[in-house]
Amino acid sequence: MKKILVIVAVLYSAAAVAQSNPPADPPMVGDKPLVQVKPKGTATAAKSKAAPEKPKSMAQKLQACLEIDDGSKERLSCYDAVIAPKPKAKQNAKAGTAKSVTECSGLKEEDERLACFNGFVEKLPKLPS
């Protein structure tokens, strides 16, 4: 039994000593280090980190406008940047008569257009960023 304990102690101490030594210098060819080839996975991982984020959907852009103060010109400008205003020849009598968020861009009055956008965007389910 003592022999087994001695052998185990010697093996564990040898493993500990082997791990504690600092790594050796890289192999040299003359006075230059040997070139080491990296696996393909590391090169593509570096490119994917530097890649830009996916473009946001229209709904995500519109929901980002909700973070701006309500009733402000900045919020309306944010909405107009996502969906450019297109004045129609025939104007709707009320802001609520638009059937889709894109129809809000046809309203001429800024207050009506802002109310129309707010009505649609606030009803959208919260999307992940």
Side-chain angles (χ1 to χ4, degrees):
M1 181 71 166
K2 288 182 183 181
K3 290 181 184 179
I4 293 175
L5 288 174
V6 170
I7 292 173
V8 170
V10 169
L11 290 176
Y12 277 123
S13 63
V17 170
Q19 290 178 357
S20 65
N21 291 338
D25 291 332
M28 302 289 276
V29 176
D31 59 344
K32 297 180 181 178
L34 183 65
V35 177
Q36 297 179 354
V37 179
K38 294 182 181 178
K40 288 185 179 181
T42 58
T44 57
K47 288 181 183 178
S48 65
K49 289 180 184 176
E53 294 181 18
K54 287 191 242 179
K56 292 183 176 181
S57 68
M58 183 188 303
Q60 289 172 325
K61 291 176 186 176
L62 290 171
Q63 284 180 341
C65 295
L66 289 176
E67 296 175 7
I68 301 172
D69 292 333
D70 189 23
S72 65
K73 179 75 174 160
E74 289 81 19
R75 185 183 272 193
L76 181 61
S77 298
C78 182
Y79 287 140
D80 288 342
V82 177
I83 303 173
K86 300 173 196 165
K88 293 181 182 178
K90 208 183 226 186
Q91 292 293 323
N92 292 333
K94 296 181 186 175
T97 59
K99 294 180 181 162
S100 71
V101 71
T102 55
E103 291 179 12
C104 294
S105 64
L107 297 173
K108 192 171 188 177
E109 290 295 319
E110 291 181 357
D111 292 335
E112 289 178 1
R113 195 164 72 239
L114 182 61
C116 180
F117 278 124
N118 284 338
F120 280 106
V121 176
E122 289 171 352
K123 291 178 186 175
L124 288 174
K126 186 68 178 166
L127 299 172
S129 301

